[in-house]
Amino acid sequence: MRATQLMIKPLALAVAMASFGVMTAQAASKDVDESAMAYEGTPSSIDAASAKIVRTPGAPDLTDAEFEEAKQIYFERCAGCHGVLRKGATGKPLTPDITQERGMDYLKAFISYGSPAGMPNWLTSGDFTEEQVELMSKYIMHEPPQPPEFGLEDMKQSWEVLVAPEDRPKKQMNDLDLENLFSVTLRDAGQIALIDGDSKEAVKIIDTGYAVHISRMSASGRYVMVIGRDALINMIDLWMEEPQTVAKIKVGMEARSVETSKFKGWEDKYAIAGTYWPPQFVIMDGETLEPKKIVGTRGMTVGDQEYHPEPRVAAIVASHAHPEFIINVKETGKILLANYEDLDNMTITSIDAAKYLHDGGWDASMRYFLTAANNSDKIAVVDAQDRNLEALVDVGKIPHPGRGANFVDPEHGPVWATSHLGDQTIQMIGTDPEGHPDNAWKVVRSVNGQGGGSLFVKTHPKSTNLWVDTSLNPAEDVSQSIAVFDINNFDAGYEVLPLAAWADLGEGPKRVVQPEYNQAGDEVWFSIWNTQDKKSAIVVVDDKTRKLKKVIKGDYMVTPTGKFNTYNTQHDVY
């Protein structure tokens, strides 16, 4: 069986593997939401053949061919949740001391039939064969193979400048509205689509790395930087007659984050990317992507101060207060402020926050960076101006805000909102220490949405709506719809819009994911994320009327996930 046969439901095995940990550490909890594990358990693009085959005492025998097949499945389907070395993060550890103790019968039954905690029955549903279940049960009882490191020489071998800076246009050579363009991830196609915000037509399809995680705009608004989970970065020049990749580089084997410098006087000077494997970040030339400085992130965790061999780099944002990048190191729980004024004598300020840092965004003033420490159930607040930890805020179970949502609460003043993977709450944190000091860095309001499994909340300065997806909720009617609140009247509850039904796509899971506003703030775009072999779409909703405005379909629309409006991304509007 080839790994490509597993594409029927890409999250399937990851959910099964992630859910295994619930039976050990959380068996007593019946309200565990497995959506966090499903989200993290997306394919790793690490070359499975690069890892040495290992035999482990106490584990069932595997032939070389079986081990290679299982290793490929694990790297593509499970490593994003549990880590390459299976130490765990959002997903629980899958190390041999745990899996061997459970035994084959337990592992096979758990993967096959699911659990009351919400894990699906992947064997009886027909998604996996008995042979696949048995193979993976055996494999996770072995020691995890470790891929090789990826250093400067490897990066330089992959680095290409396709159009030199001096050969690029000196002005915009097309008539695209570069302030209302959307960079849309076509996840399983290994592409992005540039879609015009007015006509709703795709103006360019560009090949990228596998499963692009994010698109980030350069400070000038000229370049789109996209990074795939295979750690390939494409630098796309929007000024060219037809936008195209002008430079690219592979910075590791698995990655999630890319950003460019934004401090005044340093706009577009540097780019930065953080990798899951190896655990490190690299600062690059902002016009060519030439690698300049690599910094490893292995080290001690906060709190218990134990060594961690695989602390992955999650979200990165560019400071507006200093020439610095703000870097989340997931497993150690440390936030790094990397100053890029002098790379030969670079200073890095390390802030102890909380373990399992993931995603986050700026408050409305863009002084404070609020970021989720998801398995610690906290939001860390960094003062980018004073360069210190302002607060650790206790929130709901497994916060997952995306970049969050900024608005003025009618009772509590300026707030930043997060939703959660592990519970139904949407919580608002006060962000105005000068005007509303009693509310600063506290949860001032908590409302219930449709359920757990939310990946993103979104609003816009010109809107009075707060949109909340529940993409990974196990109930179809919840995952296929969107909840919308009136931020001036939370007591009224939320309205549910059946977006997947509006898209009229036929069969498939059809998850609704990631609200994204247009530049004007009067439309909200949603991905209807189906499986690769089914039809997907983008649904555009009128923000004022909450009515359907447009369904964007086409043969090119393969598993759309993230959508990034050029203006809003460039200016951190959310």
Side-chain angles (χ1 to χ4, degrees):
M1 182 210 73
R2 288 190 287 268
T4 50
Q5 292 175 290
L6 298 177
M7 296 304 295
I8 299 173
K9 287 196 175 181
L11 296 174
L13 186 58
V15 174
M17 297 293 94
S19 302
F20 162 72
V22 175
M23 299 298 286
T24 59
Q26 297 171 322
S29 175
K30 295 301 182 183
D31 60 350
V32 174
D33 192 300
E34 299 302 315
S35 2
M37 288 67 165
Y39 172 70
E40 285 289 331
T42 46
S44 165
S45 50
I46 290 174
D47 178 8
S50 68
K52 182 180 178 182
I53 291 177
V54 178
R55 294 293 182 265
T56 305
D61 288 340
L62 288 175
T63 66
D64 286 356
E66 289 172 333
F67 196 92
E68 288 296 321
E69 179 182 347
K71 187 170 63 175
Q72 183 76 22
I73 293 170
Y74 181 84
F75 283 155
E76 290 190 351
R77 299 289 163 240
C78 310
C81 177
H82 303 283
V84 172
L85 304 182
R86 293 198 229 132
K87 298 292 185 181
T90 303
K92 297 296 179 180
L94 293 174
T95 47
D97 59 319
I98 298 172
T99 55
Q100 287 187 21
E101 181 182 355
R102 293 298 172 188
M104 275 292 295
D105 290 342
Y106 177 91
L107 297 176
K108 288 169 61 177
F110 198 77
I111 296 170
S112 298
Y113 303 110
S115 79
M119 177 174 145
N121 52 332
W122 297 116
L123 174 65
T124 54
S125 67
D127 290 304
F128 293 96
T129 66
E130 291 184 1
E131 291 77 14
Q132 290 170 343
V133 170
E134 182 165 349
L135 176 63
M136 295 311 297
S137 299
K138 291 179 179 179
Y139 174 75
I140 62 174
M141 296 173 75
H142 286 260
E143 287 287 350
Q146 178 171 319
E149 302 299 312
F150 200 94
L152 183 62
E153 183 179 351
D154 301 299
M155 293 183 194
K156 285 191 171 180
Q157 288 179 357
S158 73
W159 172 48
E160 294 183 70
V161 179
L162 304 175
V163 182
E166 60 268 22
D167 296 328
R168 298 171 196 168
K170 302 298 186 271
K171 61 180 182 179
Q172 185 179 344
M173 302 300 291
N174 55 59
D175 59 0
L176 297 175
D177 181 358
L178 298 187
E179 291 192 340
N180 197 30
L181 199 64
F182 287 78
S183 177
V184 178
T185 298
L186 305 176
R187 187 184 184 283
D188 293 309
Q191 297 174 324
I192 64 156
L194 296 176
I195 299 181
D196 179 72
D198 295 322
S199 69
K200 314 296 189 291
E201 299 291 333
V203 297
K204 186 72 175 180
I205 308 294
I206 298 174
D207 291 335
T208 61
Y210 172 73
V212 164
H213 189 64
I214 58 171
S215 298
R216 288 290 177 260
M217 294 297 301
S218 66
S220 66
R222 173 173 185 170
Y223 297 109
V224 178
M225 304 279 188
V226 301
I227 189 164
R229 298 189 180 220
D230 57 358
L232 179 65
I233 301 172
N234 287 64
M235 179 180 181
I236 299 164
D237 188 351
L238 297 179
W239 281 11
M240 303 188 78
E241 187 172 348
E242 287 196 9
Q244 68 182 65
T245 297
V246 293
K248 59 183 179 179
I249 188 172
K250 187 172 171 63
V251 293
M253 295 183 176
E254 186 180 1
R256 296 295 187 276
S257 52
V258 67
E259 180 63 290
T260 65
S261 53
K262 293 184 176 179
F263 185 66
K264 187 175 182 180
W266 294 85
E267 297 92 339
D268 295 9
K269 174 70 173 177
Y270 291 118
I272 184 173
T275 48
Y276 271 22
W277 188 269
Q280 61 193 30
F281 63 87
V282 56
I283 296 176
M284 300 159 283
D285 181 90
E287 286 194 315
T288 67
L289 300 184
E290 178 185 3
K292 295 291 188 179
K293 185 80 170 182
I294 303 172
V295 179
T297 56
R298 291 181 175 96
M300 313 309 285
T301 61
V302 301
D304 49 26
Q305 299 189 53
E306 295 180 349
Y307 178 77
H308 200 290
E310 192 192 350
R312 298 173 285 178
V313 176
I316 301 175
V317 297
S319 174
H320 302 274
H322 299 281
E324 292 177 334
F325 293 115
I326 303 177
I327 302 158
N328 278 351
V329 184
K330 185 185 286 283
E331 281 78 7
T332 59
K334 295 184 178 182
I335 300 171
L336 307 181
L337 310 183
N339 188 292
Y340 48 73
E341 287 180 289
D342 182 355
L343 295 185
D344 291 330
N345 300 281
M346 188 168 68
T347 59
I348 298 177
T349 299
S350 179
I351 297 174
D352 286 0
K355 289 181 184 177
Y356 310 116
L357 294 163
H358 193 63
D359 57 346
W362 295 104
D363 79 308
S365 74
M366 289 190 284
R367 172 172 175 167
Y368 299 100
F369 175 55
L370 294 93
T371 186
N374 52 26
N375 261 19
S376 295
D377 301 335
K378 296 180 185 296
I379 296 294
V381 183
V382 171
D383 184 340
Q385 178 64 50
D386 291 347
R387 307 172 73 249
N388 57 23
L389 183 69
E390 185 74 11
L392 280 175
V393 185
D394 292 323
V395 290
K397 186 171 181 57
I398 316 178
H400 193 288
R403 294 201 135 189
N406 289 299
F407 57 92
V408 177
D409 184 277
E411 295 180 34
H412 307 293
V415 298
W416 178 91
T418 182
S419 55
H420 299 82
L421 281 162
D423 67 37
Q424 75 274 23
T425 64
I426 301 95
Q427 298 188 348
M428 295 74 167
I429 297 170
T431 59
D432 183 18
E434 293 186 5
H436 296 76
D438 292 342
N439 292 337
W441 320 129
K442 300 175 183 176
V443 174
V444 296
R445 185 187 296 273
S446 181
V447 298
N448 288 335
Q450 293 196 84
S454 176
L455 295 178
F456 299 97
V457 291
K458 186 72 71 171
T459 190
H460 187 277
K462 297 180 181 178
S463 174
T464 59
N465 287 325
L466 178 67
W467 303 85
V468 185
D469 70 20
T470 38
S471 315
L472 299 180
N473 191 284
E476 280 192 1
D477 60 335
V478 176
S479 64
Q480 295 183 7
S481 61
I482 195 80
V484 54
F485 292 85
D486 180 348
I487 63 177
N488 292 316
N489 186 13
F490 280 106
D491 291 341
Y494 56 84
E495 180 182 3
V496 176
L497 304 183
L499 300 191
W502 289 358
D504 191 23
L505 296 174
E507 297 180 348
K510 302 183 292 292
R511 299 177 183 89
V512 175
V513 63
Q514 202 240 350
E516 178 76 353
Y517 275 86
N518 63 344
Q519 188 270 339
D522 57 10
E523 292 177 353
V524 197
W525 293 35
F526 301 87
S527 295
I528 313 300
W529 172 21
N530 217 340
T531 50
Q532 186 178 5
D533 58 332
K534 301 291 193 301
K535 293 180 180 180
S536 292
I538 291 172
V539 168
V540 182
V541 176
D542 185 293
D543 182 68
K544 184 175 181 180
T545 66
R546 302 180 179 179
K547 302 297 184 184
L548 176 65
K549 194 166 184 178
K550 177 76 174 181
V551 177
I552 305 173
K553 298 180 181 181
D555 291 340
Y556 72 91
M557 192 67 74
V558 178
T559 55
T561 49
K563 307 160 298 305
F564 303 91
N565 176 269
T566 46
Y567 181 90
N568 294 338
T569 303
Q570 177 188 356
H571 297 282
D572 294 308
V573 177
Y574 40 79

